[in-house]
Amino acid sequence: MINIKNKKMAQVLSLFACFIITAILAVVRDGRLLGMQVRSQASNVVQRSAVVDTLERLPDGTLVIRTLQLGKNITGYGGPVPLKIYVKDKKVAKIVAEKNHETPEFFHEASRLLAAWNGKTIAEAQQMKVDAVSGATFSSKAIIGNVEQGLAFAAKSTREKSIWEKMDLDIKTVSGLLVVLMAAILPLFIHRKNYRTLQLVLNVAVLGFWCGTFISYALMVGYLANGVNVWASLIPIMMLVTAFIYPLFGKKNYYCTNICPCGSLQELAGKINKRHRWRMSTEVALALSRFREILWAVLLMLMLLDVTFKWMDYEVFSAFIIQSASWSVLVLGIVFLILSFFVPRPYCRFLCPTGTLFKVAQNSKL
């Protein structure tokens, strides 16, 4: 009994260690943890998407709308006049000007407008008619235009959505949820070969090619950096539960074995060719497994040292999203698919960094 408790404690500690490591990676890459800025970004960090830059939620619930993108076509005398609009409790708390190239003297006069919307609800602020400051017309109009764009964005962002809107339940999402729930529950009770084949096909067709949903380093680091929109992420959250929580109850490798679209596709390929499998010696299999461990350690070290995170863009999973996957990922996916006809799950067993992280979290033998 004591030995069992020790093993369980070791597994919990391994899971916690992997969580901490991934959280550190999120901070190293994005300077953020669960949506909160925890360190300044280096100048060479790739610019985030326009959506992320436009809206930020502070720890106290204040929304910060940046008009850098929203008002990029609205110019003053010297160019764009980006603003930060702070909205708290659905009211404008303050408006702050960001760096611009307006003539300082003229912009100082125009900046008196920034307080005009303070204390107003978004609806009230949108109804206001604010006149330009005489002598600083260009800068004033740029400020007013940016505020109008920011308020319009804020109105959409602060509107209370119904639970159905939050879940964004279209036919694709519903189908993906059904398939991932089937994969998470039914294999615990049904062990028939025919059903397993059906589940593998659904994993590949629905979760892989249709939904393009899978667990990868990019997903995990992104969630820890920016937080998780639970309602919009039900499918990957269910996947993460099977990958990290199920093993605590004796179901090790559950995600990789029963849900992962990549693993499912490899297994289906192997089922097609049962007679002409390549014989692999124990020594070769062990050497390839050791290579996977070394590769994972090297990639982890490169990320922790902030040398590169670029390799995450080349995990083979994204090959399912054919229309946007890079040619190198597609080639890698095809190579491992062909190998799967002759070697059982070659990517899972001999390369996958994400799968290696799962094994470390489970305190399993690599």
Side-chain angles (χ1 to χ4, degrees):
M1 181 65 69
I2 294 177
N3 189 39
I4 293 176
K5 287 184 179 180
N6 289 339
K7 287 184 177 180
K8 186 65 66 178
M9 180 59 67
Q11 194 172 346
V12 171
L13 290 175
S14 295
L15 176 59
F16 181 70
C18 286
F19 174 82
I20 294 299
I21 290 172
T22 311
I24 293 172
L25 294 178
V27 173
V28 171
R29 190 188 71 171
D30 295 341
R32 298 165 65 85
L33 184 62
L34 299 177
M36 296 182 290
Q37 198 75 30
V38 296
R39 77 175 182 93
S40 60
Q41 289 293 87
S43 60
N44 62 345
V45 174
V46 177
Q47 185 75 12
R48 296 195 303 269
S49 68
V51 174
V52 175
D53 279 339
T54 298
L55 180 63
E56 179 183 4
R57 186 181 296 273
L58 301 182
D60 66 353
T62 300
L63 295 180
V64 182
I65 296 95
R66 294 186 63 195
T67 66
L68 181 64
Q69 293 293 329
L70 298 173
K72 62 184 179 180
N73 295 321
I74 302 172
T75 58
Y77 189 82
V81 182
L83 306 174
K84 281 185 177 181
I85 303 175
Y86 290 76
V87 178
K88 187 173 184 180
D89 299 327
K90 299 184 179 180
K91 292 184 178 181
V92 178
K94 63 178 178 178
I95 300 176
V96 178
E98 296 199 63
K99 184 179 179 179
N100 59 63
H101 297 288
E102 298 295 281
T103 303
E105 292 80 5
F106 290 168
F107 191 75
H108 177 73
E109 292 297 315
S111 63
R112 292 184 297 172
L113 294 176
L114 296 174
W117 294 271
N118 289 357
K120 305 293 184 182
T121 66
I122 295 174
E124 291 170 345
Q126 287 183 294
Q127 296 299 318
M128 289 177 61
K129 300 295 182 183
V130 179
D131 296 325
V133 174
S134 178
T137 305
F138 287 99
S139 296
S140 297
K141 288 186 175 181
I143 288 174
I144 294 169
N146 273 270
V147 171
E148 289 175 347
Q149 291 295 319
L151 291 173
F153 186 88
K156 295 179 181 178
S157 302
T158 58
R159 182 176 69 86
E160 187 65 27
K161 295 182 179 180
S162 69
I163 188 172
W164 303 111
E165 289 178 306
K166 290 178 181 178
M167 294 177 71
D168 192 21
L169 290 179
D170 55 17
I171 187 171
K172 180 189 292 187
T173 303
V174 172
S175 300
L177 276 172
L178 288 175
V179 171
V180 78
L181 286 172
M182 287 173 59
I185 298 171
L186 296 185
L188 298 173
F189 307 100
I190 302 176
H191 306 288
R192 297 175 183 174
K193 291 183 179 180
N194 289 342
Y195 170 73
R196 177 165 181 79
T197 300
L198 172 63
Q199 185 67 61
L200 293 174
V201 171
L202 290 174
N203 293 344
V204 172
V206 178
L207 298 179
F209 287 111
W210 193 14
C211 296
T213 307
F214 35 77
I215 301 178
S216 65
Y217 258 96
L219 175 87
M220 293 184 288
V221 173
Y223 278 177
L224 283 174
N226 303 303
V228 184
N229 182 338
V230 175
W231 294 112
S233 308
L234 292 175
I235 298 175
I237 286 174
M238 190 68 245
M239 290 179 168
L240 287 168
V241 168
T242 60
F244 291 108
I245 305 302
Y246 271 37
L248 296 177
F249 299 92
K251 300 298 178 182
K252 292 188 176 182
N253 305 317
Y254 192 93
Y255 169 79
C256 297
T257 304
N258 296 290
I259 299 177
C260 176
C262 183
S264 298
L265 182 58
Q266 292 174 83
E267 186 169 334
L268 286 173
K271 286 179 177 291
I272 294 174
N273 179 31
K274 293 183 178 180
R275 296 184 177 180
H276 302 91
R277 296 290 187 93
W278 292 347
R279 293 183 178 180
M280 185 179 297
S281 67
T282 303
E283 291 76 11
V284 172
L286 288 174
L288 290 173
S289 296
R290 180 60 61 182
F291 168 77
R292 183 189 65 180
E293 298 169 23
I294 295 172
L295 175 65
W296 176 76
V298 169
L299 293 176
L300 180 62
M301 188 59 62
L302 290 174
M303 291 188 293
L304 289 172
L305 294 175
D306 199 13
V307 174
T308 181
F309 284 83
K310 188 66 177 175
W311 71 267
M312 292 194 302
D313 297 331
Y314 298 95
E315 284 193 272
V316 73
F317 311 119
S318 60
F320 282 105
I321 312 174
I322 298 175
Q323 63 271 27
S324 58
S326 66
W327 67 266
S328 55
V329 171
L330 290 173
V331 170
L332 186 65
I334 292 171
V335 168
F336 276 100
L337 177 58
I338 294 173
L339 287 174
S340 299
F341 285 94
F342 307 99
V343 179
R345 290 179 173 244
Y347 183 79
C348 302
R349 295 167 61 202
F350 306 129
L351 189 63
C352 184
T354 297
T356 307
L357 178 69
F358 295 158
K359 286 186 173 294
V360 172
Q362 297 166 23
N363 195 30
S364 298
K365 184 179 178 181
L366 295 178

